[in-house]
Amino acid sequence: MLDWLCRIFLYPAPAIKFSTEEAQAYEKLALNATEDGLIEYDLPYAKFRYLTYVSLKGLYVFHGSNHTGIRIFEPREQTLYNGQWTKAVFAASDPHWPMFYAIFNRSRLKGSFRNGCIRGRKQNYHFYSLNQSTISNGPWTEGMVYFLPRESFTAPKPRGISFDEWLCHEPVAPIAKLKVCQDDCYYHNKIAVHNDGESLIKTWLLYKTRTTPRRTQGGNSDE
């Protein structure tokens, strides 16, 4: 039932197939990392494809940030998707969600923003929505996607609606990092515009409608 609803109202994670040539290029890319772990990306393939390839190895989870020089991630107080408080380092196994946090400049936020990566039985589903004030405030920037050791994190429990939130309750050092910008994000043209006063359910129900080209240019037209 949940997967059926997600397919209707949200966007699935992209299903990507990699050629032998592309996969070989990604395997060699790790040799191009600098001393501080920065991957010097010089390939013709979109960066979201590379991050997807890396994620399929099952060795890493990912964290997106505007801060480009983080050496140690410290646990901090924050809420889970269900509103429960915890003190942890957050990461995701699906790199598309952290990419949003890497390119979204939180200092430009005015009001609310809504986003998430929901774990389905066979695939993940994404949604991203900002209010009009934030969209008009130029919220995009360059940022970093950090690769963190998956073995240090606890996977989300598969019950009900489960977001791709992995938690680590101890300080953790990144293994590598990749610089990204708005155009690198697979969902950069699927950012909806919502009203601050509306319910989260309404945001979900109208998400795909609002992310058609006709809607995104002028903001909401459903009010």
Side-chain angles (χ1 to χ4, degrees):
M1 181 66 173
L2 175 61
D3 280 68
W4 179 75
L5 290 172
C6 286
R7 282 196 298 271
I8 293 175
F9 297 111
L10 309 180
Y11 288 110
I16 300 175
K17 294 183 178 180
F18 304 97
S19 67
T20 301
E21 180 182 11
E22 184 178 2
Q24 289 175 344
Y26 292 152
E27 292 295 335
K28 294 178 181 178
L29 189 61
L31 301 176
N32 292 347
T34 62
E35 289 186 4
D36 64 349
L38 178 65
I39 297 172
E40 298 183 324
Y41 196 88
D42 58 357
L43 299 179
Y45 312 107
K47 288 182 179 178
F48 73 79
R49 294 182 63 89
Y50 168 64
L51 287 169
T52 300
Y53 178 84
V54 172
S55 72
L56 295 176
K57 290 181 173 293
L59 299 175
Y60 310 105
V61 289
F62 305 89
H63 182 101
S65 176
N66 299 162
H67 301 289
T68 60
I70 300 175
R71 295 183 179 275
I72 296 289
F73 285 90
E74 298 283 351
R76 63 184 180 87
E77 294 283 349
Q78 50 196 318
T79 57
L80 299 168
Y81 71 92
N82 59 7
Q84 179 182 344
W85 282 94
T86 187
K87 186 175 183 180
V89 178
F90 277 44
S93 62
D94 185 327
H96 297 284
W97 195 13
M99 285 188 80
F100 171 79
Y101 279 95
I103 65 171
F104 177 48
N105 186 346
R106 291 283 291 273
S107 69
R108 298 297 182 92
L109 175 64
K110 293 185 176 181
S112 66
F113 73 111
R114 299 169 177 179
N115 64 91
C117 174
I118 297 176
R119 293 162 61 95
R121 286 185 298 176
K122 295 183 179 180
Q123 61 183 332
N124 295 335
Y125 298 90
H126 293 255
F127 68 96
Y128 302 95
S129 187
L130 304 175
N131 62 19
Q132 186 62 60
S133 296
T134 300
I135 288 289
S136 301
N137 201 32
W140 308 118
T141 186
E142 292 185 337
M144 204 72 73
V145 174
Y146 291 89
F147 298 38
L148 302 172
R150 183 182 289 219
E151 61 187 13
S152 299
F153 286 76
T154 302
K157 296 180 180 179
R159 57 186 181 189
I161 296 179
S162 177
F163 280 51
D164 189 33
E165 293 179 331
W166 292 62
L167 306 179
C168 177
H169 299 284
E170 302 292 336
V172 59
I175 296 172
K177 58 185 180 180
L178 180 70
K179 190 174 184 180
V180 294
C181 66
Q182 183 183 4
D183 289 341
D184 295 322
C185 181
Y186 177 78
Y187 295 96
H188 79 274
N189 62 349
K190 296 178 175 62
I191 310 295
V193 180
H194 66 265
N195 294 313
D196 274 330
E198 74 184 32
S199 68
L200 180 58
I201 295 298
K202 183 176 181 179
T203 300
W204 286 1
L205 294 178
L206 295 177
Y207 174 55
K208 276 190 174 179
T209 301
R210 288 170 168 171
T211 50
T212 61
R214 178 172 59 87
R215 301 279 179 162
T216 55
Q217 293 299 318
N220 292 342
S221 59
D222 59 288
E223 299 300 327

